[in-house]
Amino acid sequence: MKRFFQPIEKDGSFKKPTISSVSSSEKDGEQTTETISESAGDNKKEPTKFLTWNANSFLLRIKNNWTEFTKFIENLDPDVIAIQEVRMPAAGSKGAPKNPRELKDDTSASREEKLVVTRALSSPPFKNYNVWWSLSDSKYAGTALFIKKCFQPKKVSFSLDATGSKHEPDGRVILAEFETFRILNTYVPNNGWKEEESSFPRRRKWDKRMLEFVLATSDKPLIWCGDLNVSHEDIDVSHPEFFSAAKLNGYTPPNKEDCGQPGFTLAERRRFGAILKEGKLVDAYRFLHKDTDMECGFSWSGNPVGKYRGKRMRIDYFIVSEKMKDRIVSCEMHGRGIELDGFYGSDHCPVSLELSVKDDADTKQG
């Protein structure tokens, strides 16, 4: 979506910080976690409460909205937090190879920013989580995955490829595997407005790879979350006619199915539907909420000033394997109205999913 927020501000200078990192053994871009001694606080063997949020700059949210967001996290108490659009660059000096798993800290400005993040994440409730990063080379895109220290994934990787040996361009994927399921955090590329490499073709390639991924990993149930940059049905946007007719500078794509607001073109919606159908996946929110909800039924809201005021879309999801659908307890969007209440400074609101605990009998039956 077109952004309308200010760029990241700069603060004063600090010494080079260190940021707590996950205890892991790394090989070819994958991380296999080692046991960390931590009190679980309950008897759950695996995570059951999840949150996804496009923060539209994690650093800005820490600087401007952290008190409110921290209270929200304390109250919700999710086991896993998936963040998209981190917009913090990967470690590595100019012209040198980058490390997408670490925050940049080779300049005074980047050390300042890393210290701001370090301080925020070293305090409750975030100090109770391990964090994995997948970052872009610049202040663009990027994802993060927070998992409570009492839940140790078997493996964490950063690609849709079967080997998971490399990070996706722009840090768009983090995949964590547990004993009985996988959770995939993605920041899906925006479709754009034109038939050019960074727009329609890029999104077509992504959707093709996503379908291949869900088919190749069907051996274990999947929870797919994040900013998926698509509104599947008319009910998923506030003004279907507006979004269907949307144009950029009067341009009309040659293919009618590519016309309209990115995220609401027929081509994207049909490909998304195919991924769900062929992958035997269920939209958790729509599974529970069948009717239009003009107050709380959308996760993205347009600029409160201008023609996009009041124009909203549901583009942030929890998608789960069909075999998990009977475990869905709740799936909620935590923002409301056109004034972005509950968005915590972003243009997206957090979305949560809660599953019932998988009992031992279910586990043995697979």
Side-chain angles (χ1 to χ4, degrees), residues 99-114:
N99 180 1
R101 291 190 294 274
E102 298 289 342
L103 299 172
K104 182 178 176 67
D105 63 356
D106 63 295
T107 65
S108 59
S110 63
R111 284 192 290 274
E112 296 167 18
E113 294 173 351
K114 184 172 181 177

PDB file of all heavy atoms in Angstrom, residues 99-114:
ATOM      1  N   ASN A  99      24.493  -9.251   6.490  1.00  0.00           N
ATOM      2  CA  ASN A  99      24.003 -10.349   7.321  1.00  0.00           C
ATOM      3  C   ASN A  99      22.552 -10.056   7.688  1.00  0.00           C
ATOM      4  O   ASN A  99      22.291  -9.280   8.620  1.00  0.00           O
ATOM      5  CB  ASN A  99      24.847 -10.501   8.583  1.00  0.00           C
ATOM      6  CG  ASN A  99      24.359 -11.631   9.480  1.00  0.00           C
ATOM      7  OD1 ASN A  99      23.393 -12.318   9.156  1.00  0.00           O
ATOM      8  ND2 ASN A  99      25.022 -11.825  10.610  1.00  0.00           N
ATOM      9  N   PRO A 100      21.590 -10.648   6.986  1.00  0.00           N
ATOM     10  CA  PRO A 100      20.177 -10.321   7.210  1.00  0.00           C
ATOM     11  C   PRO A 100      19.649 -10.735   8.575  1.00  0.00           C
ATOM     12  O   PRO A 100      18.539 -10.363   8.937  1.00  0.00           O
ATOM     13  CB  PRO A 100      19.457 -11.113   6.099  1.00  0.00           C
ATOM     14  CG  PRO A 100      20.511 -11.525   5.130  1.00  0.00           C
ATOM     15  CD  PRO A 100      21.760 -11.654   5.918  1.00  0.00           C
ATOM     16  N   ARG A 101      20.420 -11.513   9.344  1.00  0.00           N
ATOM     17  CA  ARG A 101      19.971 -11.955  10.662  1.00  0.00           C
ATOM     18  C   ARG A 101      20.333 -10.965  11.776  1.00  0.00           C
ATOM     19  O   ARG A 101      19.936 -11.158  12.913  1.00  0.00           O
ATOM     20  CB  ARG A 101      20.565 -13.331  11.003  1.00  0.00           C
ATOM     21  CG  ARG A 101      20.010 -14.454  10.152  1.00  0.00           C
ATOM     22  CD  ARG A 101      20.448 -15.805  10.705  1.00  0.00           C
ATOM     23  NE  ARG A 101      21.880 -16.014  10.606  1.00  0.00           N
ATOM     24  CZ  ARG A 101      22.489 -16.503   9.536  1.00  0.00           C
ATOM     25  NH1 ARG A 101      21.788 -16.807   8.459  1.00  0.00           N
ATOM     26  NH2 ARG A 101      23.793 -16.690   9.525  1.00  0.00           N
ATOM     27  N   GLU A 102      21.108  -9.924  11.426  1.00  0.00           N
ATOM     28  CA  GLU A 102      21.573  -8.981  12.447  1.00  0.00           C
ATOM     29  C   GLU A 102      21.285  -7.544  12.021  1.00  0.00           C
ATOM     30  O   GLU A 102      21.334  -7.207  10.835  1.00  0.00           O
ATOM     31  CB  GLU A 102      23.080  -9.145  12.667  1.00  0.00           C
ATOM     32  CG  GLU A 102      23.489 -10.522  13.188  1.00  0.00           C
ATOM     33  CD  GLU A 102      23.063 -10.743  14.627  1.00  0.00           C
ATOM     34  OE1 GLU A 102      22.775  -9.735  15.318  1.00  0.00           O
ATOM     35  OE2 GLU A 102      23.016 -11.909  15.071  1.00  0.00           O
ATOM     36  N   LEU A 103      21.010  -6.682  13.004  1.00  0.00           N
ATOM     37  CA  LEU A 103      20.770  -5.272  12.747  1.00  0.00           C
ATOM     38  C   LEU A 103      22.079  -4.547  12.452  1.00  0.00           C
ATOM     39  O   LEU A 103      23.113  -4.809  13.077  1.00  0.00           O
ATOM     40  CB  LEU A 103      20.098  -4.617  13.954  1.00  0.00           C
ATOM     41  CG  LEU A 103      18.724  -5.159  14.363  1.00  0.00           C
ATOM     42  CD1 LEU A 103      18.299  -4.542  15.684  1.00  0.00           C
ATOM     43  CD2 LEU A 103      17.690  -4.874  13.287  1.00  0.00           C
ATOM     44  N   LYS A 104      22.034  -3.628  11.535  1.00  0.00           N
ATOM     45  CA  LYS A 104      23.206  -2.842  11.145  1.00  0.00           C
ATOM     46  C   LYS A 104      23.703  -2.019  12.335  1.00  0.00           C
ATOM     47  O   LYS A 104      22.910  -1.432  13.081  1.00  0.00           O
ATOM     48  CB  LYS A 104      22.821  -1.903  10.000  1.00  0.00           C
ATOM     49  CG  LYS A 104      23.958  -1.037   9.439  1.00  0.00           C
ATOM     50  CD  LYS A 104      23.441  -0.194   8.291  1.00  0.00           C
ATOM     51  CE  LYS A 104      24.512   0.748   7.755  1.00  0.00           C
ATOM     52  NZ  LYS A 104      25.616  -0.008   7.100  1.00  0.00           N
ATOM     53  N   ASP A 105      25.052  -1.964  12.522  1.00  0.00           N
ATOM     54  CA  ASP A 105      25.603  -1.189  13.633  1.00  0.00           C
ATOM     55  C   ASP A 105      27.015  -0.678  13.334  1.00  0.00           C
ATOM     56  O   ASP A 105      27.819  -0.464  14.233  1.00  0.00           O
ATOM     57  CB  ASP A 105      25.616  -2.016  14.926  1.00  0.00           C
ATOM     58  CG  ASP A 105      26.517  -3.245  14.845  1.00  0.00           C
ATOM     59  OD1 ASP A 105      27.082  -3.500  13.760  1.00  0.00           O
ATOM     60  OD2 ASP A 105      26.664  -3.942  15.863  1.00  0.00           O
ATOM     61  N   ASP A 106      27.339  -0.450  12.059  1.00  0.00           N
ATOM     62  CA  ASP A 106      28.691  -0.046  11.683  1.00  0.00           C
ATOM     63  C   ASP A 106      28.830   1.462  11.484  1.00  0.00           C
ATOM     64  O   ASP A 106      29.894   1.944  11.104  1.00  0.00           O
ATOM     65  CB  ASP A 106      29.128  -0.776  10.408  1.00  0.00           C
ATOM     66  CG  ASP A 106      28.253  -0.426   9.221  1.00  0.00           C
ATOM     67  OD1 ASP A 106      27.053  -0.769   9.251  1.00  0.00           O
ATOM     68  OD2 ASP A 106      28.754   0.199   8.264  1.00  0.00           O
ATOM     69  N   THR A 107      27.761   2.228  11.730  1.00  0.00           N
ATOM     70  CA  THR A 107      27.823   3.683  11.685  1.00  0.00           C
ATOM     71  C   THR A 107      27.226   4.224  12.976  1.00  0.00           C
ATOM     72  O   THR A 107      26.507   3.517  13.689  1.00  0.00           O
ATOM     73  CB  THR A 107      27.037   4.249  10.488  1.00  0.00           C
ATOM     74  OG1 THR A 107      25.636   3.943  10.667  1.00  0.00           O
ATOM     75  CG2 THR A 107      27.516   3.645   9.168  1.00  0.00           C
ATOM     76  N   SER A 108      27.510   5.465  13.292  1.00  0.00           N
ATOM     77  CA  SER A 108      26.975   6.041  14.529  1.00  0.00           C
ATOM     78  C   SER A 108      25.453   6.061  14.510  1.00  0.00           C
ATOM     79  O   SER A 108      24.798   5.768  15.526  1.00  0.00           O
ATOM     80  CB  SER A 108      27.518   7.456  14.733  1.00  0.00           C
ATOM     81  OG  SER A 108      27.165   8.303  13.648  1.00  0.00           O
ATOM     82  N   ALA A 109      24.868   6.371  13.355  1.00  0.00           N
ATOM     83  CA  ALA A 109      23.403   6.418  13.254  1.00  0.00           C
ATOM     84  C   ALA A 109      22.792   5.037  13.454  1.00  0.00           C
ATOM     85  O   ALA A 109      21.799   4.881  14.186  1.00  0.00           O
ATOM     86  CB  ALA A 109      22.990   6.985  11.896  1.00  0.00           C
ATOM     87  N   SER A 110      23.392   4.016  12.823  1.00  0.00           N
ATOM     88  CA  SER A 110      22.842   2.665  12.962  1.00  0.00           C
ATOM     89  C   SER A 110      23.054   2.126  14.371  1.00  0.00           C
ATOM     90  O   SER A 110      22.228   1.373  14.890  1.00  0.00           O
ATOM     91  CB  SER A 110      23.459   1.723  11.922  1.00  0.00           C
ATOM     92  OG  SER A 110      24.854   1.583  12.102  1.00  0.00           O
ATOM     93  N   ARG A 111      24.156   2.513  15.031  1.00  0.00           N
ATOM     94  CA  ARG A 111      24.357   2.089  16.420  1.00  0.00           C
ATOM     95  C   ARG A 111      23.309   2.718  17.340  1.00  0.00           C
ATOM     96  O   ARG A 111      22.817   2.066  18.265  1.00  0.00           O
ATOM     97  CB  ARG A 111      25.775   2.448  16.885  1.00  0.00           C
ATOM     98  CG  ARG A 111      26.846   1.516  16.342  1.00  0.00           C
ATOM     99  CD  ARG A 111      28.162   1.709  17.047  1.00  0.00           C
ATOM    100  NE  ARG A 111      28.793   2.973  16.731  1.00  0.00           N
ATOM    101  CZ  ARG A 111      29.589   3.181  15.674  1.00  0.00           C
ATOM    102  NH1 ARG A 111      29.814   2.193  14.826  1.00  0.00           N
ATOM    103  NH2 ARG A 111      30.141   4.355  15.467  1.00  0.00           N
ATOM    104  N   GLU A 112      22.974   3.972  17.083  1.00  0.00           N
ATOM    105  CA  GLU A 112      21.915   4.630  17.850  1.00  0.00           C
ATOM    106  C   GLU A 112      20.598   3.864  17.715  1.00  0.00           C
ATOM    107  O   GLU A 112      19.904   3.590  18.699  1.00  0.00           O
ATOM    108  CB  GLU A 112      21.705   6.057  17.344  1.00  0.00           C
ATOM    109  CG  GLU A 112      22.874   6.989  17.523  1.00  0.00           C
ATOM    110  CD  GLU A 112      22.690   8.263  16.709  1.00  0.00           C
ATOM    111  OE1 GLU A 112      21.537   8.540  16.310  1.00  0.00           O
ATOM    112  OE2 GLU A 112      23.677   8.971  16.477  1.00  0.00           O
ATOM    113  N   GLU A 113      20.262   3.532  16.463  1.00  0.00           N
ATOM    114  CA  GLU A 113      18.990   2.862  16.197  1.00  0.00           C
ATOM    115  C   GLU A 113      18.971   1.460  16.803  1.00  0.00           C
ATOM    116  O   GLU A 113      17.963   1.033  17.379  1.00  0.00           O
ATOM    117  CB  GLU A 113      18.746   2.819  14.687  1.00  0.00           C
ATOM    118  CG  GLU A 113      18.553   4.201  14.099  1.00  0.00           C
ATOM    119  CD  GLU A 113      18.486   4.209  12.583  1.00  0.00           C
ATOM    120  OE1 GLU A 113      18.760   3.150  11.966  1.00  0.00           O
ATOM    121  OE2 GLU A 113      18.155   5.260  12.012  1.00  0.00           O
ATOM    122  N   LYS A 114      20.084   0.765  16.701  1.00  0.00           N
ATOM    123  CA  LYS A 114      20.151  -0.574  17.272  1.00  0.00           C
ATOM    124  C   LYS A 114      20.002  -0.523  18.791  1.00  0.00           C
ATOM    125  O   LYS A 114      19.343  -1.378  19.393  1.00  0.00           O
ATOM    126  CB  LYS A 114      21.470  -1.252  16.893  1.00  0.00           C
ATOM    127  CG  LYS A 114      21.580  -2.693  17.383  1.00  0.00           C
ATOM    128  CD  LYS A 114      22.826  -3.361  16.815  1.00  0.00           C
ATOM    129  CE  LYS A 114      22.926  -4.805  17.296  1.00  0.00           C
ATOM    130  NZ  LYS A 114      24.091  -5.502  16.708  1.00  0.00           N
TER     131      LYS A 114
END
